[in-house]
Amino acid sequence: MEIPKQIEEVLEKLEKAGFEAYIVGGCVRDEIMGKTAHDYDITTSAEPRETERVFSDCRVVETGIKHGTVVVLFKGMSVEITTFRIDGDYPDGRHPERVSFSRNLKDDLARRDFTMNAIAYSPKRGIIDIFDGKADINAKIIRCVGEPEKRFSEDALRVMRALRFSAVLGFDIEENTKSALLLKKENLKNVSKERIFSELKQLLCGENVKKVLLEYREVFAEIIPEIREMFDYDQNSKYHNSTLFEHTARAVEAAPPKEEMRLAMLFHDIGKPACRTIDENGEGHYYGHAAKSVEIADRILRELKCDNMLRVRVCEIIRYHDMPIELSGKAIKRRLSKLGEELFCEVMEAHIADDSAKQEFTKARVETAREAMRIAREIAREKPCLDLKGLAVNGGDLKEMMEPSPKMGEILGVLLSEVVDGTLENEKSALLARVRELLR
Ligand code: ATP
Ligand code: MG
């Protein structure tokens, strides 16, 4: 197994001092799957004070010391080293009552969530895989270490972790593990919203998110009760060939794997049931659903303790997800002036994801959105004036001609829209002449 030099040296130093030390968890799983790990966790028989002594010539951060973790800054790398641990009972389904340290690796592996995450490795001692994690990785199976019901009762976050790993890695969840997590999903109410949301964001960005959303929809309804309305909802529309929730799941997976895009697609149509009208032909229409979806998504995201920047971004994408697209340069420039380049392109990405999750014939519209994005990028490359900051005059220049008042803002707005449309040159004397005209 290829591991970074510094990590190897850390393991060696602990071993030389008479302790056992291994890399463990996600990094071993990733290595076995042939992927480069993004961080390396070390587990050791040394207790935190002993680890500190071994690394007395390094900077050591003690933040997690109660749980046995010290962070060592070793040759430019920050390395987390945790003592073999036994987690006591979890009376609140969240935190172990107490953790105790152990000198036995097996105890530490037994407290871990899934077999694929319970493998230890060291260059000196090789792979230690007492729960057959490697076989499960090769078979692409997520399986609890030990008795599934007990493990999900201890810590319900594991329910979300199982789904997250399934969506990200494309692994299936083993039958007993699956039925236990469905049974214990209510315990998610004991888990902090922040931790749930962090898992949800990663899950949504997974390559296999559609399958997980559909197969485990009851778990999602547990953390977001509002989505239940989309289950089995027939849209009664010639554009759609699946239920609202199936369409949603397809649209999520069709969007680029960025948090704001995937969240936006999850909620883009959630306002539809509240907006339905049926025409004389029995066809369903959903006028105003984007605004309704924004309202619901905003409430859900606040409830999930989503940070404000992300929440606002998601809501903006939803707000414009079904705006009409006009391909003329002038129309796109107006949109760019209103939304900015980045949001405009994300709105186009939302159109593409939405349309590719409908009937075959709506897929032609995907090309329109792609073309709009291409035109927008081309326009933006030339850095035209698209907002008030880009105008060659500002409020200060206008002060000599008029009192500061709301009228001044209006006039600047007129200048901007005429410059954006190309009917007025963005040049100071031309702009001031136009102001004089407007004031007459
Ligand atoms: P990632 O690639 O997301 O970092 P990971 O498996 O490394 O995946 P972490 O959250 O970094 O996940 O946790 C590191 C290890 O700690 C896991 O591999 C697992 O062994 C253990 N672990 C983490 N969270 C839990 C939990 N809630 N219950 C039991 N074991 C856990
Ligand atoms: Mg990790």
Side-chain angles (χ1 to χ4, degrees), residues 19 26 69 71 76 124 126 177 179 183 194-195 198 224 277 357 367 394 404 420 437:
F19 302 104
T69 302
V71 177
K124 182 174 169 195
T177 300
S179 50
L183 196 68
E194 288 85 350
R195 292 175 78 204
S198 159
I224 310 169
T277 53
E367 286 316 312
N394 58 28
V420 168
E437 217 175 277

Side-chain angles (χ1 to χ4, degrees), residues 183-200:
L183 196 68
K184 294 294 174 184
K185 63 184 189 306
E186 282 97 40
N187 294 12
L188 278 166
K189 64 180 179 301
N190 301 323
V191 178
S192 81
K193 305 276 193 232
E194 288 85 350
R195 292 175 78 204
I196 290 177
F197 190 54
S198 159
E199 291 297 331
L200 178 67

Side-chain angles (χ1 to χ4, degrees), residues 131-384:
F131 298 103
D132 276 337
K134 205 172 159 189
D136 283 337
I137 291 172
N138 291 331
K140 297 179 179 278
I141 286 174
I142 298 167
R143 183 197 310 270
C144 279
V145 171
E147 218 275 291
E149 268 184 44
K150 176 162 174 280
R151 303 313 309 281
F152 290 121
S153 304
E154 287 170 355
D155 179 5
L157 186 71
R158 291 171 190 156
V159 172
M160 290 303 293
R161 286 176 60 85
L163 269 47
R164 188 252 289 187
F165 285 120
S166 177
V168 171
L169 303 175
F171 287 17
D172 281 330
I173 301 177
E174 178 272 331
E175 280 308 313
N176 292 324
T177 300
K178 176 176 175 175
S179 50
L181 78 79
L182 290 173
L183 196 68
K184 294 294 174 184
K185 63 184 189 306
E186 282 97 40
N187 294 12
L188 278 166
K189 64 180 179 301
N190 301 323
V191 178
S192 81
K193 305 276 193 232
E194 288 85 350
R195 292 175 78 204
I196 290 177
F197 190 54
S198 159
E199 291 297 331
L200 178 67
K201 284 186 291 187
Q202 296 177 64
L203 186 163
L204 287 173
C205 290
E207 256 179 71
N208 301 283
V209 55
K210 182 179 86 188
K211 181 162 183 273
V212 173
L213 282 170
L214 295 175
E215 195 170 337
Y216 296 94
R217 65 185 204 175
E218 289 302 323
V219 176
F220 295 97
E222 189 67 41
I223 57 174
I224 310 169
E226 293 88 342
I227 66 170
R228 193 179 285 288
E229 268 229 74
M230 298 198 279
F231 297 172
D232 308 317
Y233 189 90
D234 180 349
Q235 301 196 61
N236 251 316
S237 151
K238 61 175 180 289
Y239 299 107
H240 287 278
N241 53 3
S242 55
T243 67
L244 185 53
F245 193 61
E246 278 161 16
H247 162 68
T248 294
R250 285 161 70 190
V252 168
E253 193 165 290
K258 295 184 280 183
E259 289 174 356
E260 70 274 23
M261 287 306 305
R262 295 278 171 109
L263 281 164
M265 296 327 288
L266 182 63
F267 299 130
H268 76 288
D269 277 350
I270 200 166
K272 270 191 170 177
C275 296
R276 155 135 74 186
T277 53
I278 304 280
D279 68 16
E280 61 275 17
N281 303 319
E283 187 68 25
H285 298 280
Y286 302 90
Y287 302 112
H289 80 272
K292 189 73 190 172
S293 296
V294 169
E295 186 191 311
I296 300 172
D298 186 78
R299 203 171 58 226
I300 293 170
L301 291 168
R302 284 174 195 272
E303 181 71 21
L304 289 171
K305 307 274 195 271
C306 172
D307 69 272
N308 292 335
M309 281 249 292
L310 179 58
R311 175 175 51 80
V312 169
R313 186 62 168 205
V314 170
C315 287
E316 290 194 303
I317 299 169
I318 298 173
R319 187 181 311 284
Y320 299 111
H321 84 267
D322 65 344
M323 73 178 188
I325 306 174
E326 235 190 281
L327 284 181
S328 73
K330 187 164 155 181
I332 289 181
K333 237 172 127 187
R334 278 187 188 165
R335 293 291 195 198
L336 283 174
S337 170
K338 188 165 174 203
L339 307 183
E341 182 187 358
E342 223 187 314
L343 177 59
F344 178 84
C345 288
E346 292 201 320
V347 168
M348 290 305 104
E349 283 170 344
H351 274 73
I352 294 168
D354 195 7
D355 284 329
S356 38
K358 295 180 191 169
Q359 290 278 35
E360 209 48 43
F361 67 84
T362 65
K363 289 184 181 163
R365 298 206 296 220
V366 165
E367 286 316 312
T368 310
R370 286 223 173 88
E371 179 65 5
M373 221 189 316
R374 201 190 54 72
I375 296 171
R377 296 256 188 244
E378 203 174 280
I379 292 172
R381 235 193 327 269
E382 283 161 25
K383 305 222 175 306

Side-chain angles (χ1 to χ4, degrees), residues 25-27 29-30 38-39 41 111-113 117-118 151 155 157-158 161 164-165 195 202:
C27 58
R29 182 193 69 229
D30 289 343
H38 57 88
D39 58 9
D41 294 320
R111 75 170 171 91
R112 294 177 183 272
D113 48 6
N117 291 341
R151 303 313 309 281
D155 179 5
L157 186 71
R158 291 171 190 156
R161 286 176 60 85
R164 188 252 289 187
F165 285 120
R195 292 175 78 204
Q202 296 177 64

